[in-house]
Amino acid sequence: SLSQKLQRIFDKLKRKAKLTEKDIDLVLKEIRVALLEADVNYKVVRVFISRVKEKALGKEVMESFTPAQQIIKIVRDELVYLLGETSKGIIIKEPYPFLILMVGLQGSGKTTTCGKLANFLKKEKGKRPLLVGLDVKRPAASRQLAIIAEKIGVSYVIDESGNATPVELLGKALKKAEKEGYDVVIGDTAGRLQIDEDMMSELEEMERKYKPREILLVIDAMIGQEAVNVAKTFNERLGITGFILTKMDGDARGGAALSIREITGKPIKLIGTGEKLEDLEFFYPDRIASRILG
Amino acid sequence: FRGKTELGEEEIEEIEEILFQSDLGTQMVISIMDKVRDGVKKGEIKTYEDLEKLVKEDFLRILGEKKTLELKDGLNVILVIGVNGTGKTTFIAKLSKRLKKQGKKVLIAAADTFRAAGVKQMVVWAERLNIPVVAQQEGADPSSVVFDAISSAKARGIDVLIVDTAGRLHTKKNLMEELKKIKRVIMKNAPSAHLEVLLTLDATTGQNALIQAKNFHENLGVTGLVINKLDSTSRGGHIITIKNELNIPIIFIGTGETEDDLEEFNPEKFVEELFK
Ligand SMILES: Nc1nc2c(ncn2[C@@H]2O[C@H](COP(=O)(O)OP(=O)(O)OP(=O)(O)O)[C@@H](O)[C@H]2O)c(=O)[nH]1
Ligand SMILES: Nc1nc2c(ncn2[C@@H]2O[C@H](COP(=O)(O)OP(=O)(O)OP(=O)(O)O)[C@@H](O)[C@H]2O)c(=O)[nH]1
Ligand SMILES: [Mg+2]
Ligand SMILES: [Mg+2]
């Protein structure tokens, strides 16, 4: 583990009378590798390490009897601080209907997460959600959402005609929600690349016309270095309100969590921890910090 | 400043940044950069061009020759496996269209009986491409779907049976056991068939891709890799590390969401793209 590696370095340095900046650089190198191995973005690691170095050259480390522990504490605290607050999930407020759009790359877990969120809001918060299948491209996408909705006993709107555009469908669903008293509308959108001009414009049009109160970027926890560009572009073009990290039940270290926070400042609101509709958890920064550090 | 430039620390860090950001993986980048710094110190690497050439040659050596999908006479069975959402079902649509165009008799087994509309998604694709598909109701035992598909394949003189499976994390032991059972069913009921086990990887995945490949390979014996979503901004550098450690050939790459977005893996082209 990282703390064992750092302890070994400091044990070798114990015979020295005083720690030098060079000694600290050796330790920082080890921390840098740990973060890169966790898939934290290269440039984000550089910024993070320089911040940690500033603190590590202070009295608490240089004059400590347990410098390894002190540095680990600085790294952990900095990581937890950057990862943001413990989330309270999605808070649904008036005016109703409260529109939530789920967006992200292909296969990141949006449709499943829409089901999980609707299930959570219904069972834990007593809300009346309406699911909307805005993915009219992917084969059987509507069917996938319909099956999920029926499983959790939530109403849904999907494209029956085969020729509605996602924007029109969202408009229809919002009218239905107002008329029939649904308090929250959750729009499941098609997966898309952040560089796909037409697909990003489609989302911008939805955002312009219907002013969603939450635009959640769904990100696969195993994503690599491009997490930064994906998060940055979705945020710049749409103004996302938060992230959902999925597939955290795997063994990916999830360093993307730090990268997306550093680049956008937007909060991580929820965590997907499995394929079942109950597998949705709040975000706890200290748990994610431990996982990233390995 | 590309070209015949003197190699300072700035240029060396630039190459390190490119390598890291292509998802090559920490250990591989560290070992390459050690070689680079050594070569610069010895004066063997003088310019940025020398550097790029050295790294590209190393990658091409690791990736080896282009390898096409091996098909034999008689029944061929292609078992498609991989983590959730990595593009298995879409890849099968693309591959079956390609094989059908090459004159092969193709049959698809819609054996993702677990995920909502897992069967339906594969069936819709098969109908779109006018390719026969064997399916049962959702929730059926995937091994039983595979068993049916093999019987059907033998009866109809099928050349290639492609099996779609549910996505799964390699960390879930019971799901890996389910895959092993599917493989056993294939080997028991089509003992003379040529079996390929293709693992799909998402190009946007980071270093977990190596762990995925190791685990699936340990459990199933992977014969080829498919890297999907290379049309994204991710470079998919992890496949170089995977080839280096496991020596599994990369057969196909996925470059989009339509049935035509499939290419045979070309090592030279891939390495060129890595440095753009
Ligand atoms: N293990 C695990 N699997 C998940 C999780 N969330 C989603 N999945 C699985 O990931 C795969 C993709 O999920 P989808 O909900 O279809 O993803 P999507 O983003 O809607 O995909 P597109 O609409 O094609 O872009 C499915 O197999 C899901 O069951 C999670 O938290 N853990
Ligand atoms: N951009 C892009 N998208 C792709 C590619 N291959 C698949 N996709 C998309 O990725 C998403 C997931 O693809 P699927 O074929 O459903 O993936 P899967 O592995 O079968 O998913 P599960 O069965 O849920 O595990 C879909 O939206 C596909 O259209 C590709 O090469 N490029
Ligand atoms: Mg979806
Ligand atoms: Mg599938």
Side-chain angles (χ1 to χ4, degrees):
Chain A
S1 77
L2 180 63
S3 37
Q4 288 169 338
K5 289 196 186 128
L6 297 197
Q7 191 57 56
R8 233 175 290 141
I9 295 177
F10 278 113
D11 285 344
K12 290 208 202 95
L13 298 174
K14 252 198 192 126
R15 308 177 206 121
K16 307 184 67 183
K18 209 170 188 302
L19 285 175
T20 65
E21 181 172 341
K22 241 171 151 265
D23 299 328
I24 295 300
D25 279 342
L26 199 66
V27 171
L28 290 176
K29 195 154 170 276
E30 209 56 54
I31 295 170
R32 181 173 172 264
V33 169
L35 292 174
L36 288 168
E37 285 184 329
D39 288 319
V40 180
N41 181 268
Y42 182 83
K43 291 190 175 132
V44 171
V45 172
R46 182 184 288 156
V47 170
F48 183 85
I49 293 295
S50 66
R51 277 197 215 116
V52 167
K53 178 167 180 170
E54 255 180 71
K55 299 201 166 102
L57 292 177
K59 281 231 232 101
E60 321 92 317
V61 175
M62 303 304 275
E63 300 181 9
S64 164
F65 287 120
T66 56
Q69 290 182 20
Q70 283 305 111
I71 284 206
I72 283 277
K73 179 167 188 316
I74 289 172
V75 171
R76 267 195 122 264
D77 289 350
E78 186 69 16
L79 200 44
V80 170
Y81 171 71
L82 287 172
L83 286 171
E85 308 217 319
T86 296
S87 81
K88 302 185 194 63
I90 311 293
I91 312 297
I92 311 296
K93 296 197 195 101
E94 299 204 45
Y96 299 151
F98 186 104
L99 174 60
I100 300 170
L101 277 191
M102 207 71 84
V103 305
L105 296 180
Q106 290 89 343
S108 54
K110 298 175 293 301
T111 305
T112 309
T113 305
C114 283
K116 291 176 181 179
L117 183 57
N119 189 42
F120 169 76
L121 291 175
K122 176 182 178 202
K123 299 219 168 75
E124 306 292 326
K125 302 287 175 181
K127 295 283 176 265
R128 233 187 121 220
L130 179 68
L131 282 167
V132 190
L134 300 173
D135 181 354
V136 302
K137 281 197 312 148
R138 170 174 151 154
S142 314
R143 177 71 159 261
Q144 183 186 4
L145 190 68
I147 291 174
I148 287 171
E150 286 171 5
K151 206 179 254 177
I152 57 176
V154 164
S155 307
Y156 61 94
V157 170
I158 57 177
D159 175 28
E160 308 279 359
S161 64
N163 52 26
T165 70
V167 182
E168 293 167 346
L169 206 55
L170 181 54
K172 259 184 80 204
L174 285 168
K175 285 205 185 79
K176 175 184 170 85
E178 294 210 29
K179 183 156 159 283
E180 300 177 24
Y182 291 95
D183 37 39
V184 54
V185 173
I186 302 172
D188 178 27
T189 68
R192 69 203 64 214
L193 301 179
Q194 82 277 14
I195 51 170
D196 187 329
E197 192 46 49
D198 291 339
M199 292 300 276
M200 292 304 283
S201 303
E202 171 186 279
L203 285 181
E204 284 173 327
E205 188 183 356
M206 282 186 206
E207 198 263 328
R208 239 191 343 265
K209 275 201 166 124
Y210 302 116
K211 304 271 179 279
R213 309 272 280 289
E214 292 269 3
I215 299 181
L216 302 171
L217 179 56
V218 175
I219 297 215
D220 191 324
M222 59 175 128
I223 194 172
Q225 296 283 307
E226 280 299 302
V228 154
N229 287 330
V230 174
K232 186 161 181 279
T233 304
F234 270 92
N235 190 37
E236 282 174 350
R237 295 196 60 162
L238 299 174
I240 63 180
T241 57
F243 299 100
I244 301 185
L245 276 180
T246 59
K247 306 178 204 172
M248 286 287 276
D249 45 320
D251 57 2
R253 296 264 290 274
L258 180 60
S259 307
I260 64 186
R261 279 284 303 152
E262 177 69 27
I263 274 292
T264 66
K266 297 296 166 76
I268 298 172
K269 300 206 170 194
L270 292 165
I271 303 285
T273 56
E275 295 194 72
K276 300 204 291 306
L277 298 172
E278 305 82 50
D279 296 329
L280 189 67
E281 295 179 13
F282 290 151
F283 168 71
Y284 296 102
D286 51 324
R287 287 188 205 168
I288 306 304
S290 300
R291 178 179 177 136
I292 290 176
L293 288 176
Chain B
F1 56 68
R2 295 299 139 81
K4 300 280 178 215
T5 340
E6 269 306 301
L7 270 183
E9 190 54 34
E10 197 184 310
E11 284 75 27
I12 293 181
E13 280 196 6
E14 164 130 351
I15 253 261
E16 183 181 73
E17 181 170 316
I18 291 176
L19 294 179
F20 264 118
Q21 303 208 130
S22 68
D23 284 316
L24 201 60
T26 318
Q27 291 316 319
M28 169 100 8
V29 177
I30 289 175
S31 83
I32 290 176
M33 294 313 293
D34 284 346
K35 275 196 215 152
V36 164
R37 291 217 159 83
D38 198 55
V40 171
K41 208 186 268 155
K42 291 195 181 130
E44 294 166 351
I45 303 176
K46 298 201 190 67
T47 65
Y48 191 91
E49 275 197 352
D50 291 340
L51 181 47
E52 213 181 78
K53 188 162 167 293
L54 173 87
V55 177
K56 278 185 185 173
E57 285 176 355
D58 206 20
F59 288 172
L60 286 173
R61 177 188 56 79
I62 291 170
L63 290 175
E65 291 296 317
K66 179 175 189 301
K67 173 140 198 299
T68 48
L69 180 67
E70 183 179 3
L71 292 177
K72 306 209 168 126
D73 289 334
L75 177 62
N76 293 269
V77 180
I78 300 177
L79 179 60
V80 180
I81 63 182
V83 164
N84 309 70
T86 51
K88 296 175 291 300
T89 306
T90 312
F91 164 67
I92 291 173
K94 297 170 184 178
L95 179 61
S96 31
K97 172 167 180 179
R98 170 178 289 244
L99 292 175
K100 181 176 176 189
K101 248 180 149 196
Q102 292 173 358
K104 301 271 181 258
K105 286 182 83 185
V106 182
L107 177 68
I108 295 173
D112 176 1
T113 54
F114 172 73
R115 203 207 69 211
V119 173
K120 183 73 176 171
Q121 182 187 1
M122 190 76 266
V123 166
V124 169
W125 267 121
E127 289 174 348
R128 220 184 255 190
L129 301 170
N130 205 1
I131 290 177
V133 55
V134 168
Q136 292 178 15
Q137 74 285 1
E138 307 229 335
D141 177 3
S143 290
S144 132
V145 178
V146 174
F147 179 85
D148 276 1
I150 291 173
S151 312
S152 180
K154 285 179 184 168
R156 302 159 76 154
I158 292 292
D159 298 315
V160 190
L161 167 63
I162 314 179
V163 180
D164 188 19
T165 62
R168 69 204 64 220
L169 291 177
H170 49 282
T171 48
K172 311 219 159 149
K173 195 158 192 313
N174 58 326
L175 297 184
M176 297 307 278
E177 288 303 315
E178 177 184 83
L179 266 189
K180 284 176 176 171
K181 179 171 177 216
I182 290 175
K183 185 178 176 188
R184 280 198 302 274
V185 167
I186 296 171
M187 301 186 75
K188 176 156 187 280
N189 294 284
S192 56
H194 171 66
L195 174 61
E196 288 277 344
V197 178
L198 300 185
L199 173 67
T200 57
L201 295 170
D202 189 328
T204 66
T205 298
Q207 292 159 88
N208 196 254
L210 175 61
I211 301 176
Q212 291 174 25
K214 276 194 182 146
N215 272 283
F216 276 96
H217 189 48
E218 251 167 60
N219 279 293
L220 275 303
V222 175
T223 61
L225 300 176
V226 177
I227 315 301
N228 288 319
K229 309 181 198 173
L230 267 175
D231 48 320
S232 68
T233 53
S234 295
R235 304 288 168 110
H238 47 64
I239 71 171
I240 294 179
T241 308
I242 292 171
K243 178 74 170 53
N244 194 42
E245 293 209 19
L246 302 176
N247 203 24
I248 303 172
I250 300 107
I251 317 259
F252 290 111
I253 64 172
T255 57
E257 301 190 71
T258 77
E259 61 264 39
D260 299 311
D261 294 321
L262 185 69
E263 293 178 23
E264 293 186 337
F265 178 69
N266 180 328
E268 277 87 9
K269 186 166 181 227
F270 179 80
V271 172
E272 281 303 312
E273 292 292 320
L274 216 52
F275 280 91
K276 288 233 180 84

